[in-house]
Amino acid sequence: MADKFMKKVVITSIVKEGSDIYSMWAKDKEIVEQAKPGQFISLYCKEGSRLLPRPISICEIDKENDLFRLVYRVIGKGTEEFSQMQEGDLIDVMGPLGNGFTLKGKKAILIGGGIGIPPMLQLGKELNCEKQFVLGYRDELFLNKEFEAYGKVYL
């Protein structure tokens, strides 16, 4: 297993999904090879006063193109910094971290709310069974249309 020390990855795209929701794709072969649904990446700010990393769940894994997707809500100065980044920027990361989800069963009901919704997308792609998604939102919807390709969606 490759080590999980901090490394730089390149951002390939960043899109505003909602008023404070952003989707970031980044490229790294090692991370993508090791990543499993339910794991997360720690992102480090460039601004020196913010020492602690921001843990963000992996939303999607594109093994064919060595890409991984993070979807996050801007709630502080760290995530605000990430939202200002652009395609081609480098960002310090560590990961993938965590154990991930169990990928077995005959039927699955996946329930998530708010920023807990993104890690269920890759899980929905990889589970080989009947799936239903229950997605809860406080205000605006995001990602809900992307889940429809993998099972029945309830909002």
Side-chain angles (χ1 to χ4, degrees):
M1 182 155 114
D3 62 51
K4 301 213 186 243
F5 292 108
M6 189 166 36
K7 64 192 314 185
K8 292 189 182 303
V9 300
V10 65
I11 296 170
T12 60
S13 75
I14 188 159
V15 176
K16 189 172 185 178
E17 299 282 343
S19 60
D20 59 353
I21 304 290
Y22 287 81
S23 172
M24 174 192 294
W25 282 95
K27 187 173 185 89
D28 187 83
K29 185 177 180 71
E30 288 179 347
I31 289 174
V32 169
E33 285 175 350
Q34 297 174 38
K36 296 182 280 191
Q39 290 187 301
F40 66 95
I41 302 290
S42 285
L43 299 180
Y44 290 82
C45 297
K46 290 183 180 179
E47 205 283 301
S49 69
R50 295 187 278 280
L51 299 176
L52 296 176
R54 279 35 182 197
I56 300 178
S57 297
I58 298 171
C59 177
E60 284 186 271
I61 303 164
D62 177 353
K63 291 186 184 280
E64 192 172 299
N65 296 299
D66 297 329
L67 297 170
F68 62 93
R69 181 183 184 193
L70 307 174
V71 175
Y72 59 94
R73 180 183 307 272
V74 173
I75 54 172
K77 292 182 179 183
T79 48
E80 173 67 28
E81 179 182 313
F82 304 148
S83 72
Q84 304 295 319
M85 296 182 138
Q86 298 179 11
E87 180 180 337
D89 285 351
L90 294 176
I91 187 166
D92 289 324
V93 304
M94 185 182 298
L97 303 168
N99 294 321
F101 296 123
T102 300
L103 296 174
K104 61 181 177 180
K106 295 179 183 170
K107 289 186 180 183
I109 299 175
L110 307 177
I111 303 170
I115 211 61
I117 292 170
M120 292 193 315
L121 186 57
Q122 187 66 31
L123 177 61
K125 287 179 172 186
E126 292 193 27
L127 275 175
N128 189 17
C129 66
E130 180 185 332
K131 297 166 281 241
Q132 296 179 46
F133 301 97
V134 180
L135 309 177
Y137 298 90
R138 183 180 331 165
D139 41 37
E140 61 188 329
L141 303 178
F142 62 95
L143 293 180
N144 56 301
K145 296 288 184 202
E146 294 184 46
F147 280 90
E148 292 175 357
Y150 306 104
K152 179 80 173 141
V153 176
Y154 299 91
L155 303 177

